[in-house]
Amino acid sequence: MTEVKISNPVGVIVESFGAGLRGGLQKAKEVGADGVQIYAVSGEMDPDNLTAEARKELKDYIGSLGLTISALCGDLGGHGFQDRKANVEKVEKSKRILDLALDLGTTIVTTHIGIIPEDSSSEIYAAMQEACEELSNYASDKGAYFAIETGPEPAARLKQFLDSLSTNGVSVNFDPANMVMVTGDDPVQGVYLLKDYIVHTHAKDGIKLADVDPRAVYGYLGYGEMDHDTISEMVTRGEFFREVPLGEGGVDFPAYLTALKEIGYTGYLTIEREVGEQPETDIRKAVQFLHSFK
């Protein structure tokens, strides 16, 4: 295959540095990133804790570093939107996170919605569909997106779910490593399948070591909740899958980046590093790896 040449901006997740918000923003600039993704669920980035003045100040500060925001992460954990009783509060919180994103200059909020059931007639499927329809309409009216992260279910099932919504305000945050590590899906084919919905991507690589029930990773109503600490522990243990530096895992990056280019995706490749003793070193190498395709 001819080496692909890309022009996509490269982002990093601020929290991956483990240096706090301002420290992470500074490090993002130092490693040569074009932009950042920031968690906006709790703490100082909780929408309820940011006044209009604070939002403007933060946006200006990020701009002064020569950075833009690729997306906010609005993942509320738990069962995603599988539990109808919890959805009223979660939908409202998600809307507030999207409003914050728009104030900060991005139109994208990434999230997990929970594993989409195979049975489209199930109560859980209906609850997820109802919540995502409301979120999709809210985002679409503002020219924005909630972007579902790939991995919990095969790409074909995700597409079927997205096709059932009336707008594309709920779209896709494409993470090729999650597909390789959990479902064993082919990221390249996933790109072509989900081409109409991809609005953001995570640059991550991994290896699948053994079959695993996706519910053990991402949780499921009646089975257990999704918890990022649990996922990180599973990655660290390396029993079922292992996250590795870009280019060293099961993601064929030349083919993957070619697929993104062929579908016309020009958005961010945002580096996510959830494990490792030297995150800054790993992220710096990842930036250099992606820049090698430019």
Side-chain angles (χ1 to χ4, degrees):
M1 176 184 293
T2 304
E3 190 79 349
V4 61
K5 293 294 182 184
I6 63 170
S7 57
N8 303 76
V10 173
V12 296
I13 294 181
V14 167
E15 287 73 18
S16 292
F17 290 107
L21 177 59
R22 301 284 170 142
L25 289 168
Q26 286 281 355
K27 287 186 178 296
K29 175 181 173 63
E30 290 169 12
V31 302
D34 301 300
V36 291
Q37 182 176 2
I38 307 171
Y39 276 77
V41 172
S42 59
E44 64 181 311
M45 284 298 295
D46 187 317
D48 291 341
N49 295 333
L50 282 168
T51 63
E53 184 181 359
R55 295 178 186 206
K56 182 180 185 308
E57 190 274 331
L58 178 59
K59 181 181 179 183
D60 290 346
Y61 176 69
I62 292 170
S64 74
L65 295 174
L67 300 169
T68 58
I69 299 180
S70 71
L72 294 186
C73 179
D75 183 6
L76 301 177
H79 298 111
F81 295 102
Q82 292 183 336
D83 184 355
R84 182 176 268 112
K85 295 192 297 295
N87 283 353
V88 174
E89 184 178 339
K90 282 189 166 185
V91 165
E92 288 310 309
K93 176 81 176 223
S94 296
K95 289 177 180 178
R96 293 198 298 274
I97 295 171
L98 186 72
D99 292 341
L100 172 62
L102 291 168
D103 286 344
L104 295 177
T106 181
T107 59
I108 300 169
V109 171
T110 69
T111 189
H112 282 275
I113 65 167
I115 300 171
I116 299 168
E118 288 186 66
D119 182 4
S120 60
S121 64
S122 70
E123 277 297 311
I124 289 177
Y125 195 100
M128 295 173 73
Q129 199 174 39
E130 182 181 293
C132 287
E133 177 70 14
E134 183 174 349
L135 289 174
S136 187
N137 288 332
Y138 186 82
S140 184
D141 285 346
K142 296 174 179 286
Y145 303 93
F146 289 100
I148 301 171
E149 192 160 330
T150 54
E153 64 283 306
R157 194 189 308 166
L158 175 55
K159 182 181 184 300
Q160 181 185 41
F161 180 84
L162 293 171
D163 286 346
S164 76
L165 304 177
S166 61
T167 67
N168 68 343
V170 169
S171 282
V172 169
N173 172 43
F174 202 99
D175 188 316
N178 288 351
M179 300 174 80
V180 165
M181 294 189 294
V182 181
T183 61
D185 236 7
D186 177 2
V188 174
Q189 292 308 309
V191 167
Y192 293 121
L193 196 62
L194 294 166
K195 61 184 176 63
D196 295 331
Y197 295 108
I198 300 171
V199 296
H200 191 264
T201 73
H202 277 166
K204 194 167 73 179
D205 206 349
I207 299 169
K208 183 176 183 178
L209 301 172
D211 289 339
V212 62
D213 185 336
R215 295 178 301 176
V217 182
Y218 295 107
Y220 198 83
L221 188 62
Y223 186 96
E225 294 191 354
M226 188 187 86
D227 183 274
H228 280 285
D229 290 338
T230 299
I231 295 174
S232 294
E233 287 169 11
M234 292 182 76
V235 173
T236 302
R237 287 201 311 270
E239 182 180 355
F240 298 104
F241 46 78
R242 184 183 306 126
E243 184 186 320
V244 298
L246 298 192
E248 297 180 17
V251 180
D252 182 343
F253 269 92
Y256 170 64
L257 294 173
T258 295
L260 288 175
K261 188 173 184 177
E262 287 184 351
I263 68 163
Y265 176 74
T266 57
Y268 265 91
L269 306 171
T270 297
I271 296 160
E272 180 177 32
R273 185 66 171 148
E274 296 186 293
V275 297
E277 297 298 318
Q278 297 178 302
E280 184 176 346
T281 299
D282 294 340
I283 292 167
R284 193 178 294 273
K285 288 179 179 176
V287 171
Q288 293 169 352
F289 176 80
L290 293 175
H291 282 171
S292 72
F293 291 94
K294 295 201 171 196

